[in-house]
Amino acid sequence: MILSAEGLSRSYGERVLFSDISFNVEEGDKYGIIGVNGTGKSTLLKMIALQDVGSKEGKLTVPGNVVMEYLPQDPPFDPEATVLEQIFRGNSPLMVLLRSYELAVEAVDREPDNLKLQKELLALQSRMDSEYAWQLESEAKAVLSQLGIANLQQKMGELSGGQRKRVALAGVLVRPSDLLILDEPTNHMDNSTVAWLEQELLKRKGALLMVTHDRYFFDRVVNRTLEIDNGKGYVYVGNYSLFLEKREERRIAEASAAQKLRNIYRRELAWISRGAEARRTKKKDRVERFAQLEAEVKNVHTEASLELSSVSSRLGKTIIELDQVGMRYDGLDYIKDFSYVLLRNDRIGIVGPNGAGKSTLMDIITGKCQPTSGSLTVGQTVKVGYFSQHCEFPRPQDRVLEYIKEANNYIETADGQKISAAQMLERFLFPPELQWVPIAKLSGGEQRRLYLLRVLMSAPNILLLDEPTNDLDIPTLSVLEDYLDTFGGAVIAVSHDRYFLDRFAQKIFAFEEGGTIGYYPGNYSDYERYTKEEKNSAALERRDYGKGTAKVGYDTAKASTKPKPKASAKPEKAVEAAPKQEAKPAKKQLSYKERQELEHMDQELARAEAELKMLEVQINSCGSDFVKLGELTEQQERAQENLDRLMERWLYLSELAEE
């Protein structure tokens, strides 16, 4: 056994985070902890890592020979220590040996003729050999390289917050331990690094206890799930997918038991409510049982769920147009010649390595910064909701309800229902007693959830989400994804969360070398497949969406909204390919099915044009592979026929709609 937790509880004043949580950790167990933000997941990890359990908070049993390594969300660091010195800190026997060896080397350097010091150094060298300690430095360098840390002698105080977190992660991975405790290890990591970390944790022989909101990561690494729900702990044997099934079974069983209890209570209430004469004849023990039953019914938990109503403002014809936009800084191109016209129902995921310029592109779209070249046009009816990486609380002493009311006192849903700010807060799992708490008193995850509500309360018609999966819990992310399904506007999201991108994205913009932005139709899995194929073909040219595919989105957007004609906006080839429609009877109107078809035609045209462009790129990269060239040419012909058919149908329906 590595760890045994019995009846762990924690509360702050009257607020109970969790109570009576019990579980055991054996060698090879990989636990993932799941729950809504504010339920105490990070607090539980800290209690276990620091063995901070008082007599009234349960019992934690850890054998004396068990070594634990802990990565908190904000790891402590010595600003004067180098990267390597920071990694080799710790109290494990191996770390003590390394430090003792370094001190012995320094002592011999000071007194080279001291035989006693020389013997101590030789003894330590022998121990280093027997315990394979020499490998640690090379391991540390390899791990740091994977995590993007190159200068091992750089001082910790000179690193960014994200870099310090990665150094701390490298430290806990390198230092041997029986139990590894990780709090949000994947935050601010790009996709390739997360994939590498997955493999590292799968290879580890020791036990793991972690909090993560990355569901693919959770699903692939974890074999035990601990859910904290309404202050109670539930253990499931299995990963995230299995947890979803077992949790639903538990909730159905609990709902059934609660309904039976309420039925019994109603019968007993009818019996106890009879007249005064009847009450005198009642058995005392039955009256006492009724009082106990009444208390149980009051304590039955009604499942709280997060709800989002899809609300947005009216969106006009002109949305957002980027024309040859560039951002050059300090001699480097972060964005180069990028053009795109946003479609009304676009669902775009943006990916790329850290520091590539993804957030800069979002800031350009919102007008927070100006491009060094090119232009941006924003329609008059556009109302952008920007959920940035950093929560914006100008006055953290404000109450939760006051902060939300600043955005709107109420919102009106698509069906005309008016929902007040207080009601929306309750839907976001902020009960009345929490609505009057200062924002500064909320947990980091609760603040992110509050910030998300503030953005949505403004009823935007364009949503920009910059790393929404950082610090948002899995239940909130699931509801946000459902909300995006019915949101009546365009959504652009920067994210490293592969599950989130697969769930919502229909197009991927990928930041590539030299500031170019590659375009890939489909979700993240489709993009990943394209890039693997690209790596397998050395002759495949780099895709440059900014110079090529932009015209595809531009043409489709212009055609669908029918503004005044522009020379560069006409889909000339498509129009030429489409035969003229016969005159329609003046009184004929669109049927319901045709109207639905027309509403979805923009997306179908965009996909067809993107597919055609992708095939053109592949054909140009075939080289002398004539077999593949023949196959791609046939696919191109079919794709062109499909595009012509769609354009012909779109023209027909559009003309019919205008009559």
Side-chain angles (χ1 to χ4, degrees), residues 527-650:
Y527 158 72
E528 206 171 27
R529 185 170 62 253
Y530 292 144
T531 52
K532 283 180 181 177
E533 291 173 359
E534 189 176 55
K535 288 177 182 177
N536 292 335
S537 178
L540 202 60
E541 292 181 353
R542 186 177 63 215
R543 297 177 177 90
D544 186 350
Y545 181 67
K547 292 183 178 179
T549 326
K551 290 296 180 186
V552 175
Y554 188 82
D555 293 346
T556 308
K558 291 293 181 183
S560 63
T561 54
K562 291 188 180 63
K564 293 180 181 179
K566 292 184 180 179
S568 62
K570 280 188 176 181
E572 295 175 0
K573 292 182 181 178
V575 172
E576 288 172 6
K580 293 181 180 179
Q581 299 296 326
E582 295 179 3
K584 306 297 174 187
K587 293 185 179 180
K588 186 173 181 180
Q589 295 181 346
L590 284 173
S591 67
Y592 174 77
K593 286 186 177 180
E594 288 173 330
R595 193 178 298 109
Q596 292 289 102
E597 182 183 358
L598 181 59
E599 287 177 1
H600 293 91
M601 192 64 77
D602 285 348
Q603 292 182 18
E604 290 187 35
L605 282 168
R607 289 195 191 99
E609 290 172 324
E611 181 185 1
L612 189 61
K613 182 61 184 178
M614 182 69 68
L615 288 168
E616 289 174 5
V617 171
Q618 291 178 343
I619 286 171
N620 293 335
S621 305
C622 270
S624 58
D625 189 344
F626 297 108
V627 175
K628 186 177 181 181
L629 181 62
E631 293 173 354
L632 289 173
T633 303
E634 290 179 6
Q635 292 178 32
Q636 184 188 37
E637 290 174 358
R638 289 195 297 270
Q640 184 64 57
E641 289 173 3
N642 181 50
L643 179 60
D644 292 344
R645 179 186 59 79
L646 287 172
M647 183 58 72
E648 180 180 349
R649 181 65 175 167
W650 173 81

Side-chain angles (χ1 to χ4, degrees), residues 186-429:
T186 61
N187 270 7
H188 309 290
M189 274 189 188
D190 56 42
N191 297 317
S192 59
T193 308
V194 172
W196 168 82
L197 181 59
E198 274 179 15
Q199 297 305 312
E200 286 296 304
L201 294 179
L202 287 170
K203 289 187 295 185
R204 268 190 104 257
K205 294 182 179 179
L208 174 68
L209 189 61
M210 72 171 176
V211 172
T212 180
H213 298 155
D214 186 320
R215 285 157 289 183
Y216 278 160
F217 186 76
F218 195 115
D219 210 40
R220 293 167 181 169
V221 173
V222 163
N223 59 25
R224 299 281 191 281
T225 302
L226 171 60
E227 180 192 21
I228 302 179
D229 182 26
N230 195 41
K232 297 180 180 178
Y234 302 90
V235 176
Y236 307 86
V237 177
N239 59 6
Y240 179 69
S241 300
L242 208 66
F243 151 74
L244 291 175
E245 296 176 16
K246 298 298 182 183
R247 181 183 63 177
E248 189 60 26
E249 291 175 7
R250 172 180 68 80
R251 288 180 172 177
I252 291 171
E254 286 179 350
S256 176
Q259 186 58 45
K260 288 179 183 177
L261 189 63
R262 282 191 287 268
N263 291 339
I264 295 171
Y265 174 72
R266 278 196 293 270
R267 290 197 298 269
E268 292 297 296
L269 180 61
W271 178 82
I272 207 79
S273 300
R274 291 176 186 170
E277 184 64 29
R279 279 198 298 272
R280 284 196 293 271
T281 63
K282 292 179 177 24
K283 292 183 179 180
K284 184 179 178 182
D285 58 344
R286 187 168 181 181
V287 174
E288 290 175 350
R289 284 200 304 272
F290 173 78
Q292 183 179 356
L293 181 63
E294 187 174 37
E296 289 179 12
V297 168
K298 287 180 179 178
N299 288 329
V300 168
H301 169 54
T302 302
E303 188 65 43
S305 61
L306 182 64
E307 297 179 26
L308 288 175
S309 299
S310 182
V311 186
S312 61
S313 305
R314 185 185 67 84
L315 193 60
K317 293 181 178 180
T318 302
I319 306 176
I320 294 175
E321 302 178 6
L322 296 99
D323 186 16
Q324 298 295 301
V325 165
M327 177 57 75
R328 187 174 178 83
Y329 178 75
D330 204 16
L332 295 175
D333 284 315
Y334 288 90
I335 302 170
K336 186 177 181 181
D337 299 335
F338 178 64
S339 298
Y340 186 72
V341 170
L342 196 65
L343 304 180
R344 184 180 299 272
N345 294 310
D346 262 341
R347 296 292 186 269
I348 299 170
I350 300 179
V351 301
N354 291 327
K358 303 185 297 296
S359 295
T360 301
L361 178 60
M362 301 287 266
D363 287 340
I364 289 173
I365 294 173
T366 57
K368 288 192 171 184
C369 75
Q370 296 299 315
T372 54
S373 61
S375 63
L376 172 76
T377 304
V378 179
Q380 291 183 351
T381 59
V382 169
K383 190 173 183 180
V384 175
Y386 186 23
F387 183 71
S388 64
Q389 286 194 47
H390 306 289
C391 298
E392 299 176 358
F393 299 115
R395 297 182 304 278
Q397 72 278 6
D398 281 0
R399 310 289 178 179
V400 168
L401 182 58
E402 294 170 345
Y403 174 72
I404 293 300
K405 279 187 172 181
E406 281 184 359
N408 236 329
N409 283 318
Y410 70 89
I411 59 171
E412 189 170 339
T413 62
D415 59 3
Q417 180 186 4
K418 288 187 177 181
I419 306 174
S420 69
Q423 289 172 323
M424 282 300 291
L425 279 166
E426 287 199 54
R427 291 188 174 197
F428 263 59
L429 305 185

Side-chain angles (χ1 to χ4, degrees), residues 444-457:
E446 287 173 321
Q447 288 182 354
R448 289 290 283 174
R449 193 180 341 133
L450 182 67
Y451 179 40
L452 175 62
L453 175 57
R454 168 72 177 247
V455 171
L456 299 179
M457 281 292 287

Side-chain angles (χ1 to χ4, degrees), residues 17-35:
L17 287 180
F18 52 80
S19 62
D20 199 27
I21 289 182
S22 301
F23 63 98
N24 294 323
V25 180
E26 304 287 346
E27 186 174 353
D29 285 347
K30 290 181 169 60
Y31 270 89
I33 303 179
I34 195 169

